[in-house]
Amino acid sequence: MTPPEADLEPGEAWFRTLAETSSFAIFVYRERFLYANPAAKKLMGMSLSELRELKFWEAVHPDHRELVRQRGEARLQGEEVPTRYEFKIQRKDGESRWVDFTAGRIDFHGAPAGLGTAVDVTERKEAEEALHREKELAQITLESIGDGVIRTDDRGRIDYLNPVAEELTGWSEEEAEGKRLREVLKIVDEATGVPVENPVEHSLRDGRIGVFPGDRVLVSRDGGRARVRDLAAPIRDREGEIAGAVLVLRDLSRLRELEEEMDQLATRDPVTGLINRREFERRLVGAIDEVEAGGAGHALAYLDLDQFKLVNDTCGHTAGDELIKQIGELIRTVVGEDRTLARLGGDEFGLLLRSTTTSEARDLAEGIVEAVREFRFSWEDRLFAVGVSVGLVPIDEETREADSALSAADAACYVAKEQGGNRVHLHRPDDTALAQRYGEMQWVSRIHRALAEDRLVLFRQEIRPVDPSRSEDPLYEVFLRLREPGGELIGPEAFIPAAERYKLIGRLDRWVLRRTLELVARIREEGDRRTRFAVNISGQSLGDEAFLSFAVDEVERSGIPGDRLCFEITETAAVARLTKALRFMSVFQRMGCRFSLDDFGTGVSSFAYLRNLPVDYVKIDGEFVRDMTRDPIQQALVQSVNGIAHTMGVETVAESVEDEATLESLRDLGVDLAQGYWIDRPRMLEEPGAARARTGSE
C-alpha cells in the first residue's frame, strides 16, 4: 500500500521542511509517484493524488518517455546511470516544459525509491534552440550565397570558408582552418602581377571596412586566376573589441567574359569583320575630343558603293554579302591596317583618318575610288563592275558633334553619287550642293516659324512590363512632331538633324520639357496621379548649364513630383560629355527623377561607362530587337545586354517590339520592359485621356 502524503516518519520531518519550502520540484517515486512537493505539483499542474495515478514516466513528454523509464528503472535496481539530464515533461493541460533533472536513489519506508529534483529550464532551452536556428540559418545562408566568404580571428587566422571561397582559393575549410589568411589567399594586381595587401589586414589594423577600388586577380592554390572584387569588415564582440574579420570575394570572371563577348558582338560587323557603326561613332567622338584638346586635325570619309543594288537584286543577298566582304578587304588593303575602317550599314563604309590633312585624305580617297573602279566581282560565271562614291569632311576645331560630322560626310557622299559616282566630294561650309540636298537652311526657318506659331505637337507611347503579372505605374515616352500649316505632321527624323546642326535643338528641348510639364500637371488635376513620363534630352542640352538651370526651375514650378519624370539620354551624348552628364543626373536624381540610357549595348562604351552612369533603365536598340526572332546573333546580343544590365542592377527596355513572337522571346530572356507598335502606337499627348489609356482612370 502506498503511504499517504502525511505518513512521513518523524525522522523525515527535516525532509518535509526542506521539500515544502524548496523552489525546486522534488519527486519521490518507485513505479508510481510517492511524493511531490508544492513546486513539483505546480510544475506538473496536478495534485499529488493525480500524480499517484501515473507511472512516473507517464509524466514525461512522449519524445523522451522511453529514455526516462529505462534510466529510472535501472537506477532503482542499483545500476549506474547518468544522474543529471534534461528532458521535457507533459503537464496536465497538455503544455510541455523542459526540465533540468537530477536523480538519486534513497531508502523510503524500507525500500529503494527514486529521488528527483527538477528545475524548469524551458526559457533557456527555447533561447538555445532559437540561437541554434539562427546560427544554422546563417550557416545555410553563407553556404548558399554566390560570393566567397572567409572569416578570421583577430590575428588573421582562418576559422571558416564557404564553398564558393573553397572553389576560388583551392583550399578546403579543413585544410585552411587555423592558417593565416595570407597563406591561403593570394591577391595580385591585375596589371603588374605584384601581390597586394588584402582587406582583412587593413580591417584588423584600422578597425574599418577595407575595400580596394578596381578589379584584382585572385591566384588559386593550383595557379588558376579569377578577377575578383574584395571587401572586408571587422567583427566586434559585445564590448566593441575586434574579435576577427569577414572577407567577401565577388568573382567577376564570368561578367568580364560576357563583357568581352558583348564587345565583339556589339562592335563588329558579322559580314566583314570590320567595326560597326556604333563603334565607329564612338571612335569619331574620341577623335573630335582630341582636336578640341589641341591635337592635330583628322579627316572623315563616307563611302557608298554605286552598283551594289544591281548585284544584290540579280544574284541574291549571299552574293551581296560576299561583295561587301571583298570590298571591305580591298579598302583595307588600300588604306592600311592602322586606319579606322567600319561598315556603317548596307553598302556604306566609314573611314576615320587620324592626323591626316585634307589634301592627304583626298589623295587616299581617290586611291580607293581607283582601286574599286578596277575591281571586278565574279559570281556564278557573272562578272560585275562596281564603283564607289566618297564624301570627305575635315575634322578640325570647328567640328563639334559626331552626328553632324557624319551627316555632312553622308551629304557630301550623296552629292558625289548625284554627280555621276566614282568620285570624291569634299564638304565645304559654303557648299551649295549640300545645302540644296538637305535643305537644312530651309528647315532652320521652318523650325523658327513652328516655334513662333505653336505648331509643335507632343505624342506619347507606352513602355509596358514584359511580364503581364508585373504591376507598376504606367510609363510613357514623349515624342516631338512638327505640324505643317496645312495640317501634315512631320516626324523628328526630318528636322532634328538640322536643329542639331544649327544649334536649335536646345530651344526644342526647352519647349518639349515645358509643354510636357504643363500637360502632366493638367492630367494630375484630372485625377491621374500615377502616370509617369520620359522626356528625351539632346546632347547639346545635356552639356548646357543654362538648360540645367531652366529645367530645374520648370520642374520645381510645375509642382510635379520628381518620381513622375524620367529623362532619356543617348549613349553617345552621355559618353561625349561624361562630367556634365553626371552633374545633370546628380541634380535631378536628388529631386527623385529617373534616367534612361538610350541605344545601350551598341558599343563598347556601354560597358566602360555604365558603371559610372547612375541610370535606372537601359534601352536595347531596336536594331537588335527587331530581328531577334530570326537572327540568333541578334538574340544573343539582346540576351547579353540584358544579363549585363541586370548584373549592374539596371532594368532593361526593349525597343521596336512589333509582333507577339518578339515579345514572347523577350519574356523568355527576362527583359523587364518593352516598347513598340505591338505594345502601343504613338498618339497625341494632348488628346483627352491619351495619357491615361490602359490605366483604368478614364
Coordinates of all heavy atoms in Angstrom, one line a residue, residues 403-441:
D403 N 27.6 63.4 -84.8 CA 26.4 63.2 -85.6 C 26.5 64.2 -86.8 O 26.2 63.8 -87.9 CB 25.2 63.4 -84.8 CG 24.9 62.3 -83.9 OD1 25.5 61.2 -84.0 OD2 24.1 62.4 -82.9
S404 N 26.8 65.5 -86.5 CA 26.8 66.5 -87.6 C 27.9 66.2 -88.6 O 27.8 66.4 -89.8 CB 26.9 67.9 -87.0 OG 28.2 68.0 -86.3
A405 N 29.1 65.7 -88.1 CA 30.2 65.3 -89.0 C 29.8 64.2 -89.9 O 30.0 64.2 -91.1 CB 31.4 65.0 -88.2
L406 N 29.2 63.2 -89.3 CA 28.7 62.1 -90.2 C 27.6 62.5 -91.2 O 27.6 62.1 -92.3 CB 28.2 60.9 -89.3 CG 29.1 59.9 -88.8 CD1 28.5 59.0 -87.8 CD2 29.7 59.1 -89.9
S407 N 26.7 63.3 -90.7 CA 25.7 63.9 -91.6 C 26.3 64.6 -92.7 O 25.9 64.5 -93.9 CB 24.7 64.7 -90.8 OG 23.7 65.3 -91.6
A408 N 27.3 65.4 -92.5 CA 27.9 66.2 -93.5 C 28.7 65.3 -94.5 O 28.6 65.5 -95.7 CB 28.9 67.2 -92.9
A409 N 29.3 64.3 -94.0 CA 30.1 63.3 -94.9 C 29.1 62.6 -95.7 O 29.3 62.3 -96.9 CB 30.9 62.4 -94.0
D410 N 28.0 62.2 -95.1 CA 26.9 61.5 -95.9 C 26.4 62.3 -97.0 O 26.1 61.9 -98.1 CB 25.8 61.0 -94.9 CG 24.7 60.2 -95.6 OD1 24.9 59.7 -96.7 OD2 23.6 60.1 -95.0
A411 N 26.1 63.6 -96.6 CA 25.6 64.6 -97.6 C 26.6 64.7 -98.8 O 26.2 64.8 -100.0 CB 25.3 65.9 -97.0
A412 N 27.9 64.9 -98.4 CA 28.9 65.0 -99.5 C 29.0 63.8 -100.3 O 29.2 63.9 -101.6 CB 30.3 65.3 -98.8
C413 N 28.8 62.6 -99.7 CA 28.8 61.3 -100.5 C 27.6 61.3 -101.4 O 27.8 60.9 -102.6 CB 28.8 60.2 -99.5 SG 28.7 58.5 -100.3
Y414 N 26.5 61.8 -101.0 CA 25.3 61.8 -101.9 C 25.5 62.8 -103.1 O 25.1 62.4 -104.2 CB 24.1 62.3 -101.1 CG 22.8 62.2 -101.8 CD1 22.0 61.1 -101.8 CD2 22.3 63.3 -102.6 CE1 20.9 61.0 -102.5 CE2 21.2 63.2 -103.3 CZ 20.4 62.1 -103.3 OH 19.3 62.0 -104.0
V415 N 26.2 63.9 -102.8 CA 26.5 64.8 -103.9 C 27.4 64.1 -104.9 O 27.2 64.2 -106.1 CB 27.1 66.1 -103.4 CG1 27.6 67.0 -104.5 CG2 26.1 66.9 -102.6
A416 N 28.4 63.4 -104.4 CA 29.3 62.7 -105.3 C 28.6 61.6 -106.1 O 28.8 61.5 -107.4 CB 30.4 62.0 -104.5
K417 N 27.6 61.0 -105.5 CA 26.8 60.0 -106.3 C 25.9 60.7 -107.3 O 25.7 60.2 -108.4 CB 26.0 59.2 -105.3 CG 25.2 58.0 -105.9 CD 24.4 57.2 -104.8 CE 25.4 56.5 -103.9 NZ 25.9 55.3 -104.6
E418 N 25.3 61.9 -106.9 CA 24.4 62.6 -107.8 C 25.2 63.1 -109.0 O 24.7 63.3 -110.1 CB 23.8 63.8 -107.1 CG 22.5 63.4 -106.3 CD 21.7 64.6 -105.9 OE1 22.4 65.7 -105.7 OE2 20.5 64.5 -105.7
Q419 N 26.5 63.4 -108.8 CA 27.3 63.9 -109.9 C 27.9 62.8 -110.8 O 28.8 63.1 -111.6 CB 28.5 64.8 -109.3 CG 28.0 66.1 -108.6 CD 29.1 66.8 -107.9 OE1 30.2 66.3 -107.7 NE2 28.7 68.1 -107.5
G420 N 27.4 61.6 -110.6 CA 27.8 60.5 -111.5 C 28.5 59.4 -110.9 O 28.7 58.3 -111.5
G421 N 28.9 59.5 -109.6 CA 29.5 58.4 -108.8 C 31.0 58.2 -109.2 O 31.5 59.0 -110.1
N422 N 31.6 57.3 -108.6 CA 33.0 57.0 -108.8 C 33.9 58.3 -108.6 O 34.8 58.5 -109.4 CB 33.3 56.4 -110.2 CG 33.3 54.9 -110.1 OD1 33.4 54.3 -109.0 ND2 33.3 54.3 -111.3
R423 N 33.6 59.0 -107.6 CA 34.3 60.3 -107.4 C 34.3 60.6 -105.9 O 33.6 60.0 -105.1 CB 33.8 61.4 -108.2 CG 32.4 61.8 -107.8 CD 31.8 62.8 -108.8 NE 31.6 62.2 -110.1 CZ 31.9 62.7 -111.3 NH1 32.4 64.0 -111.3 NH2 31.7 62.1 -112.4
V424 N 35.1 61.6 -105.5 CA 35.2 62.2 -104.2 C 34.6 63.6 -104.2 O 34.9 64.4 -105.0 CB 36.7 62.2 -103.7 CG1 36.8 62.8 -102.3 CG2 37.3 60.8 -103.7
H425 N 33.8 63.8 -103.2 CA 33.3 65.2 -103.0 C 33.7 65.7 -101.6 O 33.4 65.0 -100.6 CB 31.8 65.3 -103.1 CG 31.2 66.6 -103.1 ND1 31.1 67.4 -104.2 CD2 30.8 67.4 -102.1 CE1 30.6 68.6 -103.9 NE2 30.4 68.6 -102.6
L426 N 34.4 66.8 -101.6 CA 34.9 67.4 -100.3 C 33.8 68.4 -99.8 O 33.4 69.3 -100.5 CB 36.2 68.1 -100.5 CG 36.8 68.8 -99.3 CD1 37.1 67.8 -98.2 CD2 38.0 69.6 -99.7
H427 N 33.4 68.2 -98.5 CA 32.5 69.1 -97.9 C 33.1 70.4 -97.6 O 34.2 70.5 -97.0 CB 31.9 68.4 -96.6 CG 31.0 69.3 -95.8 ND1 31.5 70.2 -94.9 CD2 29.6 69.4 -95.8 CE1 30.4 70.9 -94.4 NE2 29.3 70.4 -94.9
R428 N 32.4 71.5 -97.9 CA 32.8 72.8 -97.5 C 31.6 73.5 -96.9 O 30.4 73.3 -97.3 CB 33.3 73.6 -98.7 CG 34.6 73.0 -99.4 CD 35.0 73.9 -100.5 NE 36.3 73.4 -101.1 CZ 36.3 72.5 -102.1 NH1 35.2 72.1 -102.6 NH2 37.4 72.1 -102.6
P429 N 31.8 74.4 -96.0 CA 30.7 75.2 -95.3 C 29.8 75.9 -96.3 O 28.6 76.0 -96.1 CB 31.4 76.1 -94.4 CG 32.7 75.5 -94.1 CD 33.1 74.8 -95.4
D430 N 30.4 76.4 -97.4 CA 29.6 77.1 -98.4 C 29.2 76.3 -99.6 O 28.9 76.8 -100.7 CB 30.4 78.3 -98.9 CG 31.7 77.9 -99.6 OD1 32.1 76.7 -99.4 OD2 32.4 78.8 -100.1
D431 N 29.1 75.0 -99.4 CA 28.8 74.0 -100.5 C 27.3 74.1 -100.8 O 26.5 73.6 -100.0 CB 29.2 72.6 -100.1 CG 29.2 71.7 -101.3 OD1 28.4 71.8 -102.1 OD2 30.1 70.8 -101.3
T432 N 27.0 74.7 -101.9 CA 25.5 74.9 -102.3 C 24.9 73.6 -102.6 O 23.7 73.5 -102.4 CB 25.4 75.9 -103.5 OG1 26.2 75.4 -104.6 CG2 25.9 77.3 -103.1
A433 N 25.6 72.6 -103.1 CA 25.0 71.4 -103.5 C 24.5 70.6 -102.2 O 23.4 70.0 -102.3 CB 26.1 70.5 -104.2
L434 N 25.3 70.7 -101.2 CA 24.9 70.1 -99.9 C 23.6 70.8 -99.3 O 22.7 70.2 -98.9 CB 26.0 70.1 -98.9 CG 27.2 69.3 -99.3 CD1 28.3 69.4 -98.2 CD2 26.9 67.8 -99.4
A435 N 23.7 72.1 -99.4 CA 22.5 72.9 -98.9 C 21.3 72.6 -99.7 O 20.2 72.4 -99.1 CB 22.8 74.4 -99.0
Q436 N 21.4 72.4 -101.0 CA 20.2 72.0 -101.8 C 19.7 70.6 -101.5 O 18.5 70.3 -101.5 CB 20.6 72.1 -103.3 CG 20.8 73.6 -103.7 CD 21.3 73.6 -105.2 OE1 21.6 72.6 -105.8 NE2 21.5 74.9 -105.7
R437 N 20.7 69.7 -101.2 CA 20.3 68.3 -100.9 C 19.5 68.2 -99.7 O 18.4 67.5 -99.7 CB 21.6 67.5 -100.8 CG 21.4 66.1 -100.2 CD 20.7 65.2 -101.1 NE 20.5 63.9 -100.5 CZ 19.4 63.5 -99.9 NH1 18.3 64.3 -99.9 NH2 19.3 62.3 -99.4
Y438 N 19.9 68.8 -98.6 CA 19.1 68.6 -97.4 C 18.2 69.7 -97.0 O 17.3 69.6 -96.2 CB 20.1 68.4 -96.2 CG 20.7 67.0 -96.2 CD1 21.9 66.7 -96.7 CD2 19.9 66.0 -95.7 CE1 22.4 65.4 -96.7 CE2 20.4 64.7 -95.6 CZ 21.7 64.4 -96.1 OH 22.2 63.1 -96.1
G439 N 18.4 70.9 -97.7 CA 17.5 72.0 -97.3 C 17.6 72.4 -95.9 O 16.6 72.8 -95.3
E440 N 18.8 72.2 -95.3 CA 18.9 72.4 -93.8 C 18.6 73.9 -93.5 O 18.0 74.2 -92.4 CB 20.2 72.0 -93.3 CG 20.4 70.5 -93.3 CD 21.8 70.1 -92.8 OE1 22.7 70.9 -92.8 OE2 21.9 68.9 -92.3
M441 N 19.1 74.8 -94.3 CA 18.8 76.2 -94.0 C 17.3 76.5 -94.1 O 16.8 77.3 -93.3 CB 19.5 77.1 -95.0 CG 21.0 77.0 -94.9 SD 21.6 77.5 -93.3 CE 21.1 79.2 -93.2

